[in-house]
Amino acid sequence: MYTYTWYQWLAFFYLYCFFGWIFESTYVSLKKRHFINRGFLHAPLLPLYGTGAVMMLWVSLPVKDNLVAVYFLGMIAATVLEYITGWTMEKLFKMKYWDYSNQRFHVNGYICLSSSIAWGFLTLFLTEVIHKPVEAFLFSLSTPFLIVADLLISVLFVTDSAISVKEALDLAKLLENLATLRSELDDVQVQLSLLKAETSQRIDNLRVGTLDRMEQLRSDLRNEVATRVTDLKDDTSLWLEHTLHERMQSLTNKRQQLVQARTDIRKRLDAGKQRLLRANPYASSRYSEALKELKEELEKFRH
């Protein structure tokens, strides 16, 4: 058992990629109550499942007669694969395309205990139930047909992978830009708030100072008092006009520019990026607010 040629291993990989897509799409679609075309690729293939299945079959070779060993080896191999894949994808694409952070006993959101336990049972189900009829089906196909099918699917797979990686990198750049703009916008908003508070405080201080000085001037001539009060008002008005007003206007203009730039970025959510967001509704990112904005923009496209 499991003594296969390279083209049979490749065929198993693609078949289990497809089975994984069926499972994930069905599961998530039922949870969301509408069809979700799951996955990273355009094609109905989930490479994580294909790689995991091949790995499960491979590690179970030496212990195929020991179900306990098959369970634990499959669980460990799949868990390691899931962690490495999740970590790598987040580093490259700035997103977790699956996130177990809300599960107990998780590690950085990439893996969790319940998922690892499920991988072990899936290994048993694969080796004892699923794989035997799949193996029989492949053995019934002629070698030339299988090789040609492998090569054709491989061309489509590589092309799809290249396109999907580019779309994911573009989406990552979009998230970074949106997060940067949001940070700048928040900073400007804070500066505006501080400036308003400073303006209010300075006006209060000037008012108190004016009252104090007027108290001191009561013994002076009425005209002199009027002149000094007028001078104080002029000084205050001049300072407000040439200092605070300019700063306020500058910050307001910058805020408007940032808002417009953020709007322009959100509109760059093309079909490829929309597909990735729709296909991965439970994805998360360290740019959580930026991702939330893009999902809001996606809802506009849906309606």
Side-chain angles (χ1 to χ4, degrees):
M1 189 180 182
Y2 306 160
T3 304
Y4 307 122
T5 60
W6 66 267
Y7 52 86
Q8 288 171 331
W9 276 116
L10 193 57
F12 286 135
F13 169 75
Y14 290 133
L15 279 173
Y16 289 123
C17 282
F18 178 62
F19 293 160
W21 175 84
I22 292 175
F23 170 74
E24 281 280 334
S25 295
T26 302
Y27 175 72
V28 177
S29 295
L30 288 174
K31 288 190 70 174
K32 288 291 186 178
R33 299 189 179 185
H34 63 86
F35 177 68
I36 300 290
N37 181 15
R38 281 285 286 150
F40 182 77
L41 304 177
H42 293 76
L45 299 171
L46 284 179
L48 179 64
Y49 279 83
T51 307
V54 169
M55 184 178 291
M56 288 172 185
L57 293 172
W58 184 261
V59 298
S60 66
L61 269 172
V63 294
K64 59 182 181 293
D65 296 324
N66 187 332
L67 295 184
V68 174
V70 170
Y71 174 89
F72 282 104
L73 284 175
M75 179 183 72
I76 293 169
T79 299
V80 170
L81 174 66
E82 189 172 34
Y83 188 93
I84 292 173
T85 304
W87 180 88
T88 302
M89 291 184 75
E90 185 180 16
K91 293 301 178 185
L92 285 174
F93 308 128
K94 316 303 180 188
M95 282 179 61
K96 287 181 179 177
Y97 281 87
W98 62 89
D99 190 359
Y100 298 125
S101 297
N102 61 340
Q103 301 289 328
R104 296 181 65 188
F105 309 113
H106 71 88
V107 180
N108 298 326
Y110 304 129
I111 57 175
C112 68
L113 180 60
S114 59
S115 176
S116 295
I117 291 172
W119 282 122
F121 284 113
L122 186 58
T123 303
L124 291 176
F125 187 63
L126 172 70
T127 57
E128 300 301 314
V129 179
I130 298 178
H131 188 65
K132 292 175 182 178
V134 172
E135 179 188 60
F137 168 72
L138 280 188
F139 283 170
S140 69
L141 302 175
S142 66
T143 298
F145 175 83
L146 200 55
I147 292 176
V148 171
D150 278 346
L151 293 177
L152 289 176
I153 295 173
S154 294
V155 171
L156 294 174
F157 180 81
V158 171
T159 303
D160 193 348
S161 297
I163 294 172
S164 298
V165 166
K166 182 180 182 305
E167 289 172 347
L169 290 172
D170 289 343
L171 180 57
K173 189 66 176 176
L174 200 65
L175 282 170
E176 283 185 313
N177 291 341
L178 199 55
T180 300
L181 280 174
R182 186 179 183 86
S183 177
E184 292 180 6
L185 189 57
D186 289 343
D187 183 59
V188 168
Q189 193 64 45
V190 169
Q191 291 185 53
L192 278 170
S193 298
L194 290 175
L195 185 56
K196 289 177 182 178
E198 180 185 352
T199 302
S200 178
Q201 184 63 44
R202 291 199 179 189
I203 290 174
D204 288 342
N205 291 341
L206 284 170
R207 185 181 295 115
V208 172
T210 301
L211 291 174
D212 290 343
R213 293 183 63 181
M214 287 180 66
E215 186 67 29
Q216 296 174 6
L217 293 171
R218 281 183 178 179
S219 59
D220 296 343
L221 294 174
R222 182 173 297 178
N223 291 339
E224 185 178 351
V225 171
T227 301
R228 292 191 182 188
V229 171
T230 300
D231 291 342
L232 284 172
K233 289 181 179 179
D234 291 342
D235 290 344
T236 302
S237 299
L238 187 63
W239 177 77
L240 286 172
E241 180 179 355
H242 295 289
T243 305
L244 291 180
H245 178 73
E246 289 182 1
R247 289 174 62 190
M248 189 78 73
Q249 189 62 45
S250 175
L251 288 172
T252 301
N253 291 339
K254 185 175 181 181
R255 183 181 182 279
Q256 291 174 346
Q257 292 170 2
L258 290 172
V259 169
Q260 184 59 48
R262 189 174 69 173
T263 301
D264 293 341
I265 284 181
R266 289 175 59 159
K267 290 181 178 178
R268 284 161 50 193
L269 194 62
D270 57 28
K273 302 181 189 70
Q274 291 178 41
R275 180 193 66 83
L276 283 172
L277 291 175
R278 287 197 186 100
N280 300 278
Y282 300 113
S284 64
S285 173
R286 66 173 181 265
Y287 305 123
S288 56
E289 291 300 321
L291 181 59
K292 182 180 177 182
E293 285 192 46
L294 290 183
K295 287 182 177 180
E296 290 173 353
E297 194 69 24
L298 182 64
E299 285 299 312
K300 294 181 182 179
F301 283 105
R302 285 186 60 186
H303 295 298

